[in-house]
């Protein structure tokens, strides 16, 4: 076959091991950083303090104010704090909320980020930032927001509750799935995305069965790392567009929304993306990838209904108008009828058609 593609590797260093958190001081020394602002959610303040303790004098401030979807006002406060403390780097500990806040700081200040993920969000591998203001989420790409070092320690994910582990893992799987039909994918992206989907689908039932199984946690985090790397390198399509609108407009929970929407988008897109379909069939060991992911998530306790997650019935109009307002790459033309059908099924939580 004749290949045509452009492939670009993202810079950045990844340290992956059980217990890798003990290497934080040497990684920070390696970057030559002396005054770090540490960002996390209020719920992770204890963990952040524990991980920051060995860094001693190098911690300029602990800022535990990250929240979902990176509200612009919260981002502005963190930027101001980084400037006040004379920080020369930003240490993000947590999931997408913490890493998103660190990116907002980096975008405005140029500070390098060291990320220690505790979920499967994948944001730590991307140059994509997001900010929410007035009920709308704006995203963009900026090489300055790509973390300089990511420290993956599967032991830090064992406290992620099984339910959240499942939806966080499905959120990662969505990055891999959409990378498989991205217009700017390459053969390497395809291999990485397929391996990510395989690893996550295999690991999530094991994580749900025993949240303290470090091997299962390691496999899930490995899958999430791969998913994040293709999320950062390719253009996402209809699934991510819809989830951004749903999250930014109705403040729906991020990972849970991705979990509920993904099977329906795949049922719509895969017939028009035969190579992606074949890759997912092989990775998931099924001839029906969309249905397999729906039943996998539901079987592990995920709520597959957008209504149950808090979306109002009359919200469909808003989503349809926003989704049709800005064109974006997708394997199939996105029509009003398609979005209504897809959202209707996701609202009620029935299997994809």
């Amino acid at each position: 076959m004749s290949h045509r593609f452009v492939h670009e590797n993202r810079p950045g260093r990844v340290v992956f091991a059980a217990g890798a958190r003990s290497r934080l001081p040497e990684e920070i020394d390696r970057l030559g950083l002396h005054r770090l602002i540490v960002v996390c959610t209020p719920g992770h303040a204890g963990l952040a303090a524990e991980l920051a303790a060995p860094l001693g004098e190098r911690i300029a401030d602990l800022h535990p104010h990250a929240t979902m979807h990176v509200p612009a006002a919260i981002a502005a406060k963190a930027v101001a704090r980084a400037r006040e403390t004379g920080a020369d780097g930003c240490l993000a500990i947590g999931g997408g909320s913490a890493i998103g806040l660190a990116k907002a700081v980096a975008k405005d200040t140029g500070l390098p980020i060291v990320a220690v993920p505790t979920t499967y969000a994948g944001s730590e591998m991307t140059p994509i930032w997001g900010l929410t203001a007035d009920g709308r989420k704006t995203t963009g790409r900026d090489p300055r927001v790509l973390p300089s070092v990511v420290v993956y320690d599967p032991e830090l994910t064992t406290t992620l509750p099984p339910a959240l582990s499942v939806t966080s893992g499905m959120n990662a799987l969505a990055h891999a799935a959409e990378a498989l039909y991205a217009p700017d994918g390459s053969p390497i992206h395809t291999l990485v995305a397929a391996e990510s989907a395989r690893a996550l689908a295999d690991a999530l039932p094991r994580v749900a069965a025993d949240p303290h199984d470090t091997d299962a946690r390691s496999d899930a985090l490995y899958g999430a790392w791969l998913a994040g790397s293709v999320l950062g390198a390719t253009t996402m399509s209809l699934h991510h567009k819809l989830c951004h609108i749903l999250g930014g407009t109705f403040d729906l929970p991020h990972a849970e929304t991705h979990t509920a929407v993904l099977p329906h988008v795949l049922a719509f897109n895969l017939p028009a993306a035969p190579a992606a379909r074949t890759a997912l069939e092989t990775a998931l060991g099924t001839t029906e990838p969309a249905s397999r992911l729906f039943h996998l998530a539901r079987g592990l306790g995920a709520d597959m209904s957008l209504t149950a997650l808090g979306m109002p019935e009359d919200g469909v109009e808003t989503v349809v108008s926003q989704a049709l307002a800005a064109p974006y790459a997708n394997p199939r033309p996105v029509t009003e009828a398609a979005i209504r059908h897809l959202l209707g099924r996701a609202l009620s939580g029935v299997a994809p058609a």
Side-chain angles (χ1 to χ4, degrees):
M1 66 192 281
S2 72
H3 293 285
R4 287 172 68 91
F5 60 87
V6 174
H7 180 80
E8 190 177 326
N9 271 346
R10 302 276 165 207
R13 175 176 165 89
V14 170
V15 178
F16 194 117
R21 60 190 180 279
S22 67
R23 291 172 61 173
L24 257 181
E26 71 181 84
E27 290 302 323
I28 281 159
D29 284 346
R30 205 174 159 277
L31 290 171
L33 302 178
H34 303 287
R35 289 185 64 73
L36 294 162
I37 179 170
V38 183
V39 297
C40 63
T41 59
H44 269 135
L47 174 66
E50 185 189 320
L51 295 189
L55 297 165
E57 303 280 282
R58 284 170 287 184
I59 301 302
D61 190 37
L62 180 58
H63 190 81
H65 305 295
T67 59
M68 208 166 53
H69 305 308
V70 197
I74 292 211
K77 279 185 185 156
V79 168
R81 195 72 193 120
R83 290 193 167 125
E84 279 164 26
T85 56
D88 64 1
C90 187
L91 173 58
I93 295 166
S97 299
I99 291 159
L101 184 57
K103 287 178 167 186
V105 171
K107 184 170 87 74
D108 279 15
T109 63
L111 296 184
I113 298 171
V114 176
V116 185
T118 59
T119 72
Y120 307 130
S123 167
E124 67 280 352
M125 291 306 297
T126 81
I128 303 163
W129 56 268
L131 281 172
T132 303
D134 308 320
R136 285 211 173 208
K137 187 164 188 177
T138 308
T139 62
R141 282 173 184 261
D142 185 331
R144 297 192 307 170
V145 310
L146 181 74
S148 303
V149 178
V150 181
V151 175
Y152 284 110
D153 186 339
E155 290 173 358
L156 293 179
T157 64
T158 57
T159 55
L160 190 64
L164 199 50
S165 298
V166 169
T167 54
S168 187
M170 289 296 292
N171 176 25
L173 224 155
H175 310 329
E178 288 225 301
L180 286 169
Y181 50 62
D184 48 2
S186 78
I188 288 183
H189 298 139
T190 299
L191 289 168
V192 169
E195 171 64 358
S196 169
R198 183 207 63 76
L200 284 160
D202 174 70
L204 291 178
R206 292 155 52 215
V207 165
D210 178 6
H212 293 281
D213 177 345
T214 313
D215 286 345
R217 289 290 188 180
S218 189
D219 288 344
L221 195 58
Y222 160 76
W225 162 55
L226 296 177
S229 67
V230 290
L231 167 70
T234 60
T235 302
M236 295 285 112
S237 301
L238 176 62
H239 170 80
H240 282 74
K241 180 75 176 180
L242 289 178
C243 291
H244 270 158
I245 296 168
L246 291 165
T249 310
F250 308 110
D251 202 32
L252 300 189
H254 183 84
E256 292 84 342
T257 301
H258 276 268
T259 305
V261 171
L262 179 64
H264 303 286
V265 173
L266 290 182
F268 175 69
N269 273 340
L270 290 180
R277 185 186 178 106
T278 302
L280 274 180
E281 285 175 352
T282 305
L284 303 176
T286 176
T287 55
E288 294 296 334
S291 180
R292 162 96 168 90
L293 290 177
F294 177 87
H295 292 292
L296 172 71
R298 192 174 68 176
L300 295 177
D303 204 322
M304 302 306 282
S305 154
L306 288 178
T307 304
L309 295 178
M311 182 180 168
E313 290 285 344
D314 60 4
V316 173
E317 298 309 317
T318 311
V319 180
V320 169
S321 65
Q322 282 193 45
L324 295 175
Y328 45 91
N330 196 65
R332 273 180 87 170
V334 178
T335 63
E336 185 178 334
I339 297 173
R340 285 185 190 283
H341 171 77
L342 197 155
L343 282 178
R345 298 191 80 81
L347 273 164
S348 55
V350 294

